[in-house]
Amino acid sequence: MFEPFSSGYYLGRLYVEPYEGDRAVMHRAEHEQVNEQLYDGQGDPLVMKIGSAHVPVHGAEDVPGRTIGLPESALAATGVDNPPTLREVLLAKADRAAQLLGVDPGTDDGPAGF
């Protein structure tokens, strides 16, 4: 689903669509798979860059595969004009995600700033 892109990110293509919840989500099984493969099972949420916005993404059962569901406020911040739309999405590597979330990767501290 994601391939290496740079020193801080993986690149993938996912559908971006509106979501009625209060946080960004993707299908739970895919979230768990990506988390296990790329974050060694330690990163929740996954941190994705959609447009110019970094968005913490959680798992949920009610989202189709290969899709990110964004609440209206997050959707507007990403610059997605006509959802659902297939977009290039950058997934922050584990150390970069921890940096963006303001979390020390060696602790169990919760995310800050999101």
Side-chain angles (χ1 to χ4, degrees):
M1 182 178 301
F2 290 93
E3 60 187 50
F5 176 72
S6 69
S7 62
Y9 294 93
Y10 300 98
L11 175 67
R13 289 180 56 87
L14 300 170
Y15 287 94
V16 178
E17 66 180 29
Y19 183 70
E20 294 295 322
D22 60 347
R23 61 186 184 172
V25 293
M26 67 186 292
H27 191 271
R28 184 174 312 283
E30 289 179 351
H31 183 277
E32 290 172 1
Q33 178 185 9
V34 171
N35 192 315
E36 187 63 37
Q37 289 177 346
L38 303 180
Y39 282 20
D40 294 327
Q42 298 178 26
D44 187 35
L46 303 174
V47 178
M48 297 188 190
K49 185 175 182 183
I50 305 167
S52 60
H54 282 91
V55 181
V57 179
H58 301 268
E61 293 296 331
D62 61 342
V63 180
R66 300 192 54 83
T67 300
I68 297 175
L70 297 177
E72 288 297 325
S73 60
L75 194 60
T78 64
V80 174
D81 294 328
N82 192 20
T85 186
L86 187 61
R87 295 285 302 255
E88 288 186 344
V89 174
L90 295 174
L91 170 65
K93 292 184 177 180
D95 56 342
R96 178 71 176 133
Q99 183 182 43
L100 289 165
L101 291 170
V103 176
D104 178 352
T107 71
D108 290 332
D109 294 343
F114 280 93

